Amino acid sequence: MHDPAGLHIRPAAAVAQAAAAYASDVRFCYGGREVDGKSVLDLLTLGAAPGTTVELVVIGADAEEAADHIARVWHEVLGASPGSANDEL
Amino acid sequence: MNKQMRVLRGIPVSPGVTIGPAMILDVTGLRIPPRRVSEAEVDRELERFRQAVEAAVHEVNRQKELVTAKLGPESASIFAAHIVMLRDPGFSNRVERLIRDERYTAEYAVSHTIQRFIEVLQQLKTPLTSRVGDLRDIGNELLRHLIGSQRQELKHLEQPVVILAADLSPAETARLDTSRVLGFATELGGRTSHTAIVAGSLEIPAVVGVEGLLAHVLPGDQVIIDGNQGVVVINPDQPTLERYERALRRFKLFTESLATLRSLPAETKDGTRIALLGNIEFPREVHYSLRQGAEGIGLYRTEFLFLERDTPPTEEDHYEAYCEVIRAVGGRPVVIRTLDLGADKLPGSTDEQRERNPFLGLRSIRLCLRRLELFKTQLRAILRASMEGPVSLMFPMVSTLLELRQAKLVLAEVMEDLAEQGVPYRRDIKVGIMVEVPSTAIMADYYAREVDFFSLGTNDLTQYVLAVDRGNEKVANLYSPVDPAVLRLIRRTIIVSRRRGIPINICGEMCGDPLYTMLLIGLGVRSMSAAPHSLPELKQTIRSVSVEECEKITRRVMLMENARDVEAYLRGIAREKLPELFE
C-alpha cells in the first residue's frame, strides 16, 4: 500500500474489476479483517493505511493467474515501488 | 402575526431572491421499519430489489446525460461513482442475503446495508468520508424506487414552492422543475459541493449549509431565500417581507432591463468607460457572467480544484477547467489567480497542519512556494491554456518583493521546461499580483516595476489593515472597506499604478456594492471585477453618474475620520442620485 491518499474509489474500482474477471474467490486481508476483492464497497471499507501491507488470498481453479494479475493491477493503480511492471491493465 | 420570524445564515451558491411557501423534503430522515415477509414472498422481494437497482442505474444514467448536456462531460463524473456502487456485488450480495436469510423487505435490507457501509466508512481514519454522501444518494435513489417515490410529488406541483431539505443530491437538484421550484435551501453542503455546482446552473436562488434549517419550519410557512447574501428567512415579519419584496421588484426590473442594459456600454454620463468584469469560481459561471454584461473574467478563483477531493488535482484537471473557461469567454480576457488556500485546506492535510493564526500563516503564494510540485503543476496548466485565449496570471497574497521574484523564477523554470518539451505556451503572458497585504500596497511603486498589472483585493486588504476578522461577530462591526485607513491605501495604490502606467483592477466584495461605485470611480478606478449577479446594478450606477461628481464625492470622503461617517454620507448620496436602487 503505497498511495498516500489511501484506497479511494478509482483504484478500488480497477482492482475489483480485475478480480471480477476470475472465477476464484478473491479476498483482501488487513488488520484482522477480510473483504471481498470483487466489491468496490468492500475494498473501500478495508481502511488500509498508506505504507502498510495488505494480504491477497485467492482460492479457486484460476487462482494462480488471478493472483498475479490482481496483484499487478493493485501495484499499478496504487503506485507501488518505482520500476515495477507498467503493463496495460 | 403569531409565527416567529427566524433569520438563518448559510452559504449562497446561486444568486437571486425568492419568496414562497415551504415544501419540506426529507427522505434521509425516513425510518424504514425492519419488516419481514413470508417465505413465499422472498423471491418477490429479491426481484423488487433487482428492479430497483436497474431503475436506479437507469435514472442515474439519465441524470448523467441531463447534466452532461447542461454542464459538459466533466460534471458527469459525479454519477460514475454512483453506478459503480449500485452495481457492486459486495453491496447486492449483502442485501440479497438479508432478504433471503432473514426474510426482510427489500427496503429494509437496502437501508440497513447502506447504513452499515456508512458506519464502517465513518470509522475509518482515511479521508473517504466524501463517499458517505454518495452512499446516501444511492440509498435514497433505491428507496425512492422501492417505496414508490417519496419525491415524486415534486413533478406534480400545483403551485410554486421553495424547497427546504436536509440535503439534495446533485441528481435531485438537476431534476428540479424550475418553473415550479422558486429556490431551495439545505442544511448540508458547501460552496464547492456538487449540489452547489448544479444549483448555479439552474439559475434559481439557493443557499446551502444552513444549520438548523428544518428545526423551525413547517410545510407551507412563508420563506425567503436570499441567494445573494446566503440568508434564509422563515416567517418574515412585515418590514422584512416588504424589504425583500422591494428587492425582488428591483431584481425583476433588472432582469427585464437586462437586455437593453447589456447592449449599452458601462460608461459614465461624461463618457468615461469603466471595464466591468466578472469574478468566478467555476467554469460554468462564465455564461452567466457574460449574460450579466461582463466584458471578461477579472478574477477566476481556482481553489475549487483543490477542495473536496482526496488527492491534489492533476495538470490535466487544471488544464481542462481553464480551457473550459477560456473557450466560454470567447476571446475576452481571463485573469487566473493561482491557489489561494491555507495548508489545512489542501487534500490529504491533517490536524497537525492547523495553524493558530491561519490568515497570517502559511497560505496562498507562501504555501505555493513551499509546495513547488503543486505550484508548478498549476503554472504548467495555465501556461498551456494561454494558447487558447488571452489569459493573465495573478499571484495572491504577495507580501514581499522577494516572494514575487521567487514566484516569477518558478514561472520561468516552468516555461523553460515547457519549451524543452516542445509544449506551446505564450511567453508574453501577463503576470500580475493581488494587492491585498498592506506591505504590498505601501511598496506598490516597487512592485509596479516588476509586474504587468495590479488587482486590489479589498476584502483581505481591509482585514489586514484594520486587524479585524469579519467572520468573528464580536469584532465584525469594526470591519469596513471604506474605513479612511483602507481608502488611503487604495488611493495610494491607484495613484502609483497610474503614474507607472500599469493597469489596476479592483476585485473585492465592496466592488459589487453599488453604494461604493461612485467613490471608487472618484478614486480613479476604471476596471471593476465583481460577482456576476451585481454587474447590472453596477452598470446602471456607472451610467447614472459623471466622473466629475464622483471625484467631488471622493474629495469629501477623503476628509472624513471614520467609516461610519463615510457609509452614512455615501448612503445619502446614493439615495439622492439612484433612488430606484436605494429607496
Side-chain angles (χ1 to χ4, degrees):
Chain A
M1 183 76 209
H2 288 268
D3 195 316
L7 189 51
H8 43 110
I9 191 147
R10 230 173 286 177
V15 171
Q17 199 191 348
Y22 295 93
S24 294
D25 192 23
V26 180
R27 321 286 298 172
F28 281 98
C29 311
Y30 173 78
R33 291 183 53 241
E34 188 187 307
V35 301
D36 181 359
K38 297 179 182 183
S39 161
V40 177
L41 284 171
D42 270 44
L43 285 170
L44 286 180
T45 57
L46 190 58
T52 58
T53 301
V54 172
E55 199 180 340
L56 167 65
V57 179
V58 187
I59 300 166
D62 51 7
E64 209 161 316
E65 195 196 334
D68 273 356
H69 182 62
I70 296 163
R72 207 175 67 219
V73 171
W74 176 285
H75 282 294
E76 266 171 35
V77 293
L78 290 161
S81 46
S84 69
N86 211 6
D87 306 358
E88 257 180 81
L89 276 188
Chain B
M1 195 168 282
N2 49 10
K3 282 186 175 170
Q4 168 99 41
M5 173 170 89
R6 285 186 195 272
V7 180
L8 304 168
R9 295 194 166 270
I11 303 159
V13 292
S14 183
V17 172
T18 192
I19 306 171
M23 170 162 179
I24 300 165
L25 294 181
D26 198 9
V27 166
T28 32
L30 219 61
R31 281 267 161 266
I32 313 284
R35 208 162 59 81
R36 291 178 204 260
V37 296
S38 69
E39 197 62 53
E41 289 168 318
V42 164
D43 283 344
R44 195 197 62 197
E45 289 304 298
L46 285 171
E47 189 50 34
R48 282 182 67 224
F49 168 62
R50 284 169 202 148
Q51 277 177 5
V53 169
E54 287 318 307
V57 168
H58 180 78
E59 183 64 27
V60 173
N61 273 323
R62 214 178 61 81
Q63 295 313 324
K64 189 170 141 188
E65 280 166 28
L66 220 109
V67 171
T68 308
K70 263 189 186 159
L71 303 175
E74 44 294 326
S75 328
S77 62
I78 309 165
F79 301 103
H82 287 195
I83 296 192
V84 168
M85 289 179 175
L86 278 167
R87 290 248 185 250
D88 189 62
F91 171 65
S92 52
N93 287 344
R94 279 184 178 76
V95 174
E96 289 179 11
R97 216 175 300 141
L98 280 171
I99 298 175
R100 202 177 300 116
D101 303 348
E102 308 286 333
R103 290 192 285 108
Y104 281 122
T105 58
E107 36 283 57
Y108 181 75
V110 165
S111 87
H112 181 82
T113 306
I114 293 275
Q115 201 48 46
R116 285 291 303 139
F117 271 118
I118 289 175
E119 278 163 21
V120 176
L121 277 183
Q122 280 172 338
Q123 279 159 15
L124 295 180
K125 287 184 184 72
T126 43
L128 280 168
T129 32
S130 59
R131 290 294 155 213
V132 169
D134 290 330
L135 270 170
R136 285 216 176 91
D137 280 353
I138 67 158
N140 288 341
E141 195 66 46
L142 287 171
L143 288 177
R144 196 169 306 126
H145 289 289
L146 288 168
I147 301 171
S149 48
Q150 287 287 319
R151 300 193 175 193
Q152 273 303 311
E153 46 190 310
L154 267 179
K155 287 188 185 146
H156 312 289
L157 289 173
E158 300 275 306
Q159 56 162 345
V161 292
V162 166
I163 303 281
L164 305 181
D167 197 6
L168 278 177
S169 72
E172 282 172 324
T173 311
R175 202 161 44 205
L176 292 177
D177 169 7
T178 50
S179 67
R180 293 289 161 80
V181 176
L182 300 167
F184 73 84
T186 64
E187 288 192 339
L188 300 177
R191 197 181 290 280
T192 59
S193 67
H194 296 312
T195 300
I197 296 174
V198 180
S201 73
L202 294 177
E203 294 175 17
I204 55 173
V207 180
V208 303
V210 187
E211 253 176 76
L213 175 66
L214 299 180
H216 305 289
V217 64
L218 293 170
D221 279 355
Q222 193 170 37
V223 174
I224 297 171
I225 307 235
D226 180 346
N228 301 331
Q229 309 289 326
V231 171
V232 176
V233 187
I234 296 163
N235 295 316
D237 59 20
Q238 208 52 36
T240 309
L241 191 61
E242 279 167 18
R243 188 155 56 81
Y244 271 102
E245 277 171 347
R246 270 202 306 277
L248 202 60
R249 273 201 298 277
R250 236 171 62 193
F251 193 75
K252 268 214 182 103
L253 201 81
F254 273 109
T255 327
E256 283 160 16
S257 63
L258 217 60
T260 4
L261 202 57
R262 191 175 21 185
S263 54
L264 297 171
E267 196 177 85
T268 59
K269 283 199 292 196
D270 44 359
T272 299
R273 286 278 282 131
I274 309 288
L276 271 187
L277 307 161
N279 292 348
I280 64 160
E281 188 156 3
F282 301 106
R284 46 115 181 140
E285 289 174 301
V286 174
H287 291 293
Y288 180 56
S289 303
L290 297 182
R291 266 209 313 286
Q292 295 286 90
E295 295 156 46
I297 302 303
L299 171 62
Y300 173 20
R301 305 182 177 96
T302 57
E303 289 70 60
F304 81 99
L305 287 160
F306 294 83
L307 298 174
E308 290 187 11
R309 52 186 299 155
D310 304 333
T311 53
T314 64
E315 184 180 324
E316 286 314 301
D317 292 336
H318 283 288
Y319 181 71
E320 276 168 30
Y322 303 156
C323 285
E324 196 184 335
V325 167
I326 295 164
R327 272 195 298 272
V329 288
R332 297 175 186 87
V334 179
V335 180
I336 303 180
R337 183 179 70 186
T338 59
L339 176 66
D340 188 22
L341 275 184
D344 59 321
K345 299 281 188 340
L346 285 183
S349 67
T350 58
D351 280 357
E352 286 146 41
Q353 275 152 318
R354 206 158 285 161
E355 296 170 294
R356 267 190 34 198
N357 214 337
F359 273 92
L360 303 182
L362 183 63
R363 56 183 295 111
S364 297
I365 195 70
R366 300 172 181 176
L367 181 64
C368 286
L369 292 172
R370 289 276 193 89
R371 300 280 303 270
L372 284 178
E373 77 291 354
L374 284 183
F375 193 34
K376 284 185 165 179
T377 303
Q378 182 167 34
L379 292 178
R380 268 182 77 96
I382 296 174
L383 284 171
R384 280 173 57 203
S386 71
M387 293 304 288
E388 306 294 319
V391 171
S392 310
L393 176 69
M394 179 161 73
F395 299 127
M397 214 207 167
V398 172
S399 58
T400 69
L401 275 161
L402 234 54
E403 257 171 356
L404 170 63
R405 288 176 191 156
Q406 261 179 292
K408 287 180 74 174
L409 211 62
V410 177
L411 180 67
E413 272 173 41
V414 174
M415 283 181 167
E416 213 169 291
D417 289 348
L418 286 172
E420 259 171 39
Q421 293 156 8
V423 181
Y425 66 94
R426 298 280 308 226
R427 185 162 273 281
D428 59 352
I429 187 170
K430 297 264 182 287
V431 178
I433 53 168
M434 294 281 292
V435 178
E436 54 186 342
V437 179
S439 61
T440 304
I442 292 166
M443 297 285 283
D445 44 341
Y446 283 86
Y447 286 93
R449 298 177 186 160
E450 302 186 27
V451 297
D452 297 315
F453 65 92
F454 287 150
S455 195
L456 264 168
T458 52
N459 295 6
D460 278 349
L461 189 63
T462 305
Q463 98 160 342
Y464 291 133
V465 169
L466 299 175
V468 174
D469 170 6
R470 68 174 170 159
N472 179 346
E473 55 196 32
K474 292 181 194 115
V475 294
N477 63 319
L478 295 171
Y479 179 98
S480 170
V482 291
D483 189 285
V486 181
L487 292 180
R488 283 183 186 211
L489 269 187
I490 293 177
R491 182 169 68 168
R492 193 194 141 81
T493 313
I494 292 170
I495 291 172
V496 167
S497 79
R498 197 184 273 170
R499 258 189 222 144
R500 301 275 175 180
I502 75 162
I504 184 161
N505 171 59
I506 183 156
C507 68
E509 242 166 70
M510 74 178 296
C511 198
D513 189 339
L515 183 63
Y516 304 130
T517 308
M518 283 178 271
L519 173 64
L520 291 175
I521 295 175
L523 281 166
V525 173
R526 296 294 178 264
S527 174
M528 303 182 180
S529 191
H533 71 83
S534 55
L535 295 178
E537 284 190 349
L538 294 183
K539 193 189 268 188
Q540 170 103 341
T541 309
I542 291 165
R543 292 182 57 80
S544 331
V545 300
S546 70
V547 171
E548 203 192 326
E549 60 186 328
C550 291
E551 283 174 348
K552 217 171 103 195
I553 290 166
T554 303
R555 275 198 296 278
R556 278 282 297 275
V557 166
M558 294 312 284
L559 295 174
M560 293 179 179
E561 292 176 347
N562 58 61
R564 202 183 299 174
D565 294 347
V566 179
E567 298 266 358
Y569 172 68
L570 290 178
R571 218 167 278 284
I573 296 275
R575 278 211 194 97
E576 183 192 313
K577 305 232 184 238
L578 298 155
E580 70 278 18
L581 282 184
F582 291 94
E583 269 306 307

